[in-house]
Amino acid sequence: MSICNKKTLLCLAVSGSLFSVSYAANANDHHDHNHHDGEHHESEHRHHDAHVHGVVETNIAQDGDHLLFEITAPGADVVGFEHAPKDDAQKQVLANAVKTLNNPNLIFTLPENAKCTFEEAHVSHNLVNHNDHDDYDHDHDHDHDHDHHDGEHHKEHGKHGEFSAQYEYHCEAISNLDQIETQWFTYFPHTHKMTIQYLGDAGQKAASLTPKSSVITL
């Protein structure tokens, strides 16, 4: 069962409430949106516009002592291509990327005194041939949930290779969560920028992280 199935309200916070923060943080990076079509339409545009090579979008939501990460990344940022692997070398690159994405402790560093424990990861991608399901993802059931949750975003799969990752942490002392650091740029150097939108007890925060500035203060 996916994180979203278990924590619907938290996922709605990630996918909906954070849009206003995302829009403000990225107003200079993307085309203006129409504000009259409602949150659902705007959310679809957010996902569509997020697919910019070199830019990875990360939403972080807190609910009590739980912390949920949601990452959307172009295939080019993660593996350097946006199509199904064409040879064994690309298959290995993809396998290594999926393995890394399934270990968020490599990607994010949380303050020790927040006592956060990683609980779940769900990673999916669409860099796959229709007749080659083995390389698709390690959470097929979640992928169906993810496709349904994203609606129109699924239609973009025919045009853009993309990765999606969700992580859940339980933090015994979440009040001590005052910053989050990422090592994403170390593992995926094709990325030039990671946009972060956070919603939690510390309020709403937005930041753009780069290889030289990889910490968001909450």
Side-chain angles (χ1 to χ4, degrees):
M1 182 181 293
S2 74
I3 294 173
C4 279
N5 280 346
K6 294 191 302 178
K7 297 189 174 297
T8 303
L9 292 178
L10 189 54
C11 286
L12 287 175
V14 169
S15 298
S17 298
L18 283 171
F19 173 76
S20 59
V21 182
S22 173
Y23 181 83
N26 297 298
N28 293 330
D29 296 328
H30 303 296
H31 294 294
D32 290 337
H33 295 274
N34 188 321
H35 292 276
H36 304 290
D37 291 335
E39 284 188 6
H40 179 71
H41 184 65
E42 288 175 335
S43 181
E44 290 174 6
H45 275 283
R46 177 176 65 85
H47 283 291
H48 175 78
D49 289 350
H51 193 103
V52 178
H53 292 184
V55 179
V56 169
E57 180 181 280
T58 300
N59 294 324
I60 306 171
Q62 177 209 343
D63 180 20
D65 55 6
H66 289 273
L67 198 64
L68 179 69
F69 289 70
E70 181 184 70
I71 301 174
T72 303
D77 282 54
V78 178
V79 292
F81 50 88
E82 294 198 336
H83 50 72
K86 295 182 177 180
D87 53 37
D88 289 342
Q90 289 189 345
K91 286 184 178 180
Q92 187 61 53
V93 169
L94 178 58
N96 290 342
V98 170
K99 182 178 180 180
T100 298
L101 288 172
N102 271 293
N103 188 355
N105 289 332
L106 295 176
I107 300 173
F108 294 104
T109 300
L110 308 179
E112 289 187 9
N113 60 355
K115 299 181 180 179
C116 296
T117 303
F118 164 62
E119 292 193 338
E120 287 189 66
H122 293 283
V123 177
S124 62
H125 65 83
N126 64 330
L127 279 67
V128 61
N129 292 318
H130 292 295
N131 60 351
D132 185 6
H133 296 286
D134 292 339
D135 288 334
Y136 189 73
D137 76 50
H138 295 285
D139 187 9
H140 190 63
D141 291 337
H142 166 70
D143 183 67
H144 285 295
D145 295 334
H146 175 73
D147 286 348
H148 179 266
H149 178 69
D150 281 348
E152 292 295 323
H153 184 215
H154 178 69
K155 294 181 180 179
E156 292 300 312
H157 284 188
K159 300 178 181 179
H160 298 296
E162 192 167 77
F163 285 78
S164 175
Q166 291 183 340
Y167 307 130
E168 183 182 355
Y169 289 83
H170 175 264
C171 302
E172 294 182 12
I174 202 164
S175 60
N176 293 325
L177 185 72
D178 56 0
Q179 70 173 37
I180 298 173
E181 181 178 3
T182 185
Q183 290 76 46
W184 177 279
F185 303 101
T186 299
Y187 291 97
F188 305 114
H190 293 289
T191 303
H192 303 301
K193 180 173 68 174
M194 173 183 280
T195 62
I196 302 282
Q197 293 88 43
Y198 169 86
L199 178 65
D201 289 346
Q204 294 186 357
K205 304 283 184 178
S208 292
L209 304 184
T210 67
K212 293 183 179 180
S213 179
S214 58
V215 178
I216 178 173
T217 301
L218 304 177

